[in-house]
Amino acid sequence: LTMMIINLNNNIEAQATAGEAVTKKNTSRVRRRPGHWTKDTHDNENETSSSPLSAKPKKNSNTRRRRRRPAAVNKHITKNKKHQENNHVSEGCDDDSSSASTASTATASLSSSDLSSCQDEDDQENRNKSQQQQHQRKSNKSKTTRRRNRKSSTKKSPKSTSPKEIQIPAELTPDEKSQYIALDAEMVGVGPHGAHSRLARITLANYDGECIYDTLVQVVETVTDYRTFVSGITPQDLEEGGSAIPFEKCRSQVVELIHDKIVIGHGLKNDFRVLGLTHPWYLTRDTAKYEPFMKVDPTGEKEFVPKKLKVLAKDKLGLVIQEEGVPHCPLEDAVAALELYKKHRVKWEKVMSYKMERTKEITKC
């Protein structure tokens, strides 16, 4: 009986010694900084590497909180000791050596299970914290994105530089028609070989193609080329005392008729030159300068060159004018240019409106 009591005490002391070792190891395993263990922990690991408790649990480097596991482990160990003492006393004194080894094994396994459970709890806490941090980062990013979107939405959108849609009526009122005049002039040649042109006849027509002004004009200089095969002018037409009127009188009458009116014609640059007039570009509709009516320059000197009026009348209107061997009729030519404009008026006026808007913007700058 005495020997049995001695063996029981020895087993209890061995269990207490093992519990203290576990307590020391867990107490020394305190992190001074995230990701670093104390020197004592490293030494204890080397000394107790053979025991099942020597396996160092993997720590999460994201946490910065000090662990308080040793106190919890001590509670479990104290409860286990009391429980095992009661078991040894109740079982009796048979097989003391086997019971002691079983108790030490149970204590070790219980201690390792307690440590693993504590580790699992801590790992779960770390996972929860990392998930909360990620959620917080995402929420912060979403808030920042919302603020930026609000700022961008409050900014004024830049003004569009694209041209506005211009509406051109297909039909004109009588007042609008009165703003259009078709013009054509016939010239004779003066100077050497008739190289310089002078006004000999001028004709104006309204929007309906009706002649509103037609007159012969006296030429002060000596005419060297009447150009009868084209102009139809003869020497008798320009004689003094005939129907021809002085140039200055004709010029003043034409200026009064075309003032603030849209002038339509073919090659108006030449007509205005012999009249000694200038007319605003935005009130001029020249079928020789309208790009859709022009052709590519075969010589390559210019991008486009004008077509002849008789070619345009034939291609666009199906009219035959300026026949070979027949002098030109100024009224016929003026009406042909007028009809060409009327057929393409809507598109033409859109182009002119855009050009005028751009000109206004440039002049403002």
Side-chain angles (χ1 to χ4, degrees):
L1 180 60
T2 303
M3 293 300 295
M4 292 173 62
I5 292 171
I6 292 170
N7 291 333
L8 180 61
N9 292 332
N10 291 334
N11 291 333
I12 293 171
E13 289 177 0
Q15 293 173 8
T17 304
E20 290 176 1
V22 172
T23 304
K24 287 181 181 180
K25 185 173 181 179
N26 291 318
T27 306
S28 61
R29 193 172 290 177
V30 178
R31 298 165 75 182
R32 295 178 182 174
R33 279 184 321 198
H36 294 276
W37 295 93
T38 61
K39 184 176 180 181
D40 297 337
T41 305
H42 181 69
D43 296 338
N44 292 332
E45 288 175 356
N46 293 333
E47 293 174 359
T48 60
S49 59
S50 60
S51 65
L53 298 174
S54 62
K56 182 173 75 172
K58 189 176 180 180
K59 300 296 180 179
N60 190 348
S61 60
N62 293 329
T63 181
R64 298 192 178 185
R65 180 181 133 192
R66 292 199 171 211
R67 310 284 182 215
R68 300 202 178 197
R69 290 182 303 190
V73 173
N74 288 333
K75 288 181 181 180
H76 288 295
I77 292 170
T78 306
K79 289 180 180 180
N80 292 335
K81 286 167 65 176
K82 292 180 179 179
H83 178 68
Q84 289 178 6
E85 287 178 0
N86 294 331
N87 288 337
H88 281 294
V89 173
S90 61
E91 288 177 357
C93 298
D94 296 333
D95 300 327
D96 294 328
S97 58
S98 61
S99 63
S101 60
T102 305
S104 60
T105 305
T107 304
S109 61
L110 182 60
S111 301
S112 61
S113 63
D114 292 336
L115 288 174
S116 61
S117 63
C118 293
Q119 179 185 349
D120 294 338
E121 292 176 0
D122 293 335
D123 292 340
Q124 186 64 31
E125 289 179 2
N126 294 334
R127 288 194 209 99
N128 294 336
K129 286 183 179 180
S130 62
Q131 290 177 359
Q132 290 177 359
Q133 290 175 358
Q134 290 178 0
H135 181 69
Q136 186 68 24
R137 290 193 204 101
K138 289 181 181 179
S139 62
N140 292 337
K141 286 182 181 179
S142 62
K143 288 179 182 178
T144 306
T145 306
R146 286 193 215 103
R147 290 192 197 114
R148 288 176 182 172
N149 292 337
R150 286 195 208 103
K151 289 180 181 179
S152 61
S153 62
T154 54
K155 290 181 181 178
K156 295 182 179 179
S157 59
K159 293 183 179 179
S160 176
T161 57
S162 60
K164 297 179 180 179
E165 184 67 23
I166 301 170
Q167 299 295 332
I168 304 297
E171 297 294 334
L172 298 177
T173 63
D175 291 338
E176 291 173 339
K177 289 180 180 180
S178 65
Q179 299 299 314
Y180 294 89
I181 288 181
L183 181 149
D184 189 68
E186 300 296 337
M187 298 92 157
V188 295
V190 300
H193 309 289
H196 303 287
S197 298
R198 294 294 181 267
L199 179 64
R201 183 180 178 182
I202 185 167
T203 302
L204 278 71
N206 61 15
Y207 192 81
D208 295 326
E210 299 171 349
C211 181
I212 58 174
Y213 185 82
D214 184 19
T215 186
L216 294 169
V217 182
Q218 297 175 359
V219 180
V220 179
E221 300 168 272
T222 302
V223 179
T224 57
D225 187 0
Y226 284 92
R227 306 173 184 173
T228 305
F229 68 96
V230 175
S231 65
I233 304 297
T234 61
Q236 293 78 17
D237 295 333
L238 302 182
E239 289 179 355
E240 293 184 4
S243 58
I245 63 174
F247 173 77
E248 292 298 333
K249 182 179 179 180
C250 172
R251 182 176 180 275
S252 61
Q253 289 175 348
V254 171
V255 168
E256 185 179 354
L257 288 171
I258 68 173
H259 179 66
D260 289 338
K261 300 292 179 66
I262 297 174
V263 179
I264 304 167
H266 188 81
L268 289 173
K269 179 180 178 181
N270 300 325
D271 297 338
F272 288 142
R273 184 188 295 119
V274 296
L275 282 165
L277 300 176
T278 58
H279 201 65
W281 65 269
Y282 53 86
L283 294 177
T284 303
R285 306 292 185 268
D286 192 346
T287 56
K289 296 295 182 182
Y290 184 49
E291 190 170 310
F293 292 165
M294 301 176 75
K295 64 180 180 179
V296 179
D297 186 4
T299 63
E301 296 179 359
K302 298 179 181 179
E303 188 176 0
F304 298 103
V305 292
K307 292 182 180 180
K308 292 183 178 180
L309 180 60
K310 70 175 183 179
V311 174
L312 289 172
K314 179 68 175 177
D315 295 342
K316 304 291 184 181
L317 304 173
L319 296 177
V320 178
I321 61 173
Q322 300 177 358
E323 293 180 336
E324 293 293 335
V326 179
H328 296 182
C329 175
L331 180 60
E332 187 180 66
D333 293 349
V335 172
L338 176 63
E339 292 300 324
L340 284 169
Y341 167 77
K342 288 165 71 173
K343 187 174 182 180
H344 298 83
R345 182 181 64 84
V346 175
K347 184 178 179 181
W348 198 332
E349 289 303 320
K350 285 183 178 180
V351 174
M352 295 301 296
S353 298
Y354 174 72
K355 288 182 178 179
M356 287 187 283
E357 289 294 330
R358 291 292 298 155
T359 304
K360 289 179 183 178
E361 292 177 3
I362 294 170
T363 52
K364 285 179 182 179
C365 297

